[in-house]
Amino acid sequence: MVKNTLIVSVVSTVLSLACSVLPATPWPVCAFPGSNFLGVGIFMAYLVPPTLLFLPLAQVIAKLGLYNTYWALILTYPTQLIPFASWLLMGYFRTNPKEIEESAMADGCSRLQILWRMVLPLSVPGLLSAGIFCFTLCWNEFLYALIFMSSGSMKTIPVGVVSDLIKADVLFWGSLMAAAVLGSFPVALLYSFFVKHYVSGLTAGAVKG
């Protein structure tokens, strides 16, 4: 279960961050007509509850034959993670000095070069904050994992704890407490290593954005 949860969480987080950078990138790096409406649309997509999406997503996963595979969750989680990460990164990207980006464009750098060489290195705390949030959401997600990966060998930690350690009205408290500690340890370890960047990314995006 730990292996399944780790694979799904890491791959989904990396994929979501990679897909969130361009929608969150501000002018002049990625300016185009209607970009403001796109930002509002991304934020509105994040407000759609997962309980409204899992039925159509279940049909898509069934047609693709991805039930009880890692790809069932890796392709599903970004539907919630990309809007969230894009919204969070928008606030942080706005704190980067526009003069640096404008000077780079005047020197002949392309928009992708500005994004790769200037925007992303300046936005490491924001990227770490979004990544930690996405990883935590994937690690603790229950509904999609219960529907799409319910077999014994493919269960994630939240699903395995509920299905294997709770039998009707019988609770295996010792095993439940041990599973809770082991399940929360990777997330706590991640927060402890990147807490400074995490707080910096949140405060910069919230206060200056």
Side-chain angles (χ1 to χ4, degrees), residues 138-154:
C138 290
W139 189 270
N140 296 323
E141 201 281 327
F142 178 78
L143 178 62
Y144 291 150
L146 177 64
I147 298 171
F148 300 149
M149 291 177 60
S150 57
S151 68
S153 60
M154 298 299 293

Side-chain angles (χ1 to χ4, degrees), residues 16-192:
S16 300
L17 286 180
C19 295
S20 302
V21 169
L22 285 179
T25 303
W27 186 90
V29 179
C30 192
F32 57 89
S35 56
N36 292 331
F37 292 101
L38 177 62
V40 176
I42 291 173
F43 178 72
M44 296 300 294
Y46 174 65
L47 298 179
V48 178
T51 52
L52 296 180
L53 294 177
F54 82 88
L55 286 177
L57 286 174
Q59 294 178 355
V60 173
I61 296 299
K63 289 182 179 180
L64 296 176
L66 298 178
Y67 268 108
N68 292 321
T69 65
Y70 293 131
W71 288 106
L73 295 182
I74 291 174
L75 297 178
T76 301
Y77 285 165
T79 60
Q80 289 290 317
L81 299 181
I82 291 176
F84 171 77
S86 299
W87 173 71
L88 186 63
L89 291 175
M90 281 179 188
Y92 192 86
F93 283 168
R94 291 193 185 101
T95 65
N96 293 334
K98 292 183 174 62
E99 292 78 9
I100 297 178
E101 301 166 6
E102 294 170 351
S103 299
M105 292 189 70
D107 291 338
C109 292
S110 65
R111 295 185 176 185
L112 288 179
Q113 288 176 330
I114 296 174
L115 177 64
W116 181 255
R117 297 181 180 179
M118 294 187 175
V119 175
L120 294 183
L122 290 174
S123 305
V124 171
L127 292 171
L128 286 175
S129 299
I132 291 174
F133 257 118
C134 291
F135 182 85
T136 304
L137 292 175
C138 290
W139 189 270
N140 296 323
E141 201 281 327
F142 178 78
L143 178 62
Y144 291 150
L146 177 64
I147 298 171
F148 300 149
M149 291 177 60
S150 57
S151 68
S153 60
M154 298 299 293
K155 292 178 182 178
T156 59
I157 292 177
V159 176
V161 169
V162 174
S163 61
D164 296 342
L165 302 181
I166 299 178
K167 303 295 183 181
D169 58 345
V170 178
L171 303 178
F172 301 94
W173 287 110
S175 300
L176 281 173
M177 296 299 103
V181 172
L182 292 176
S184 61
F185 179 76
V187 177
L189 188 65
L190 187 64
Y191 274 87
S192 65

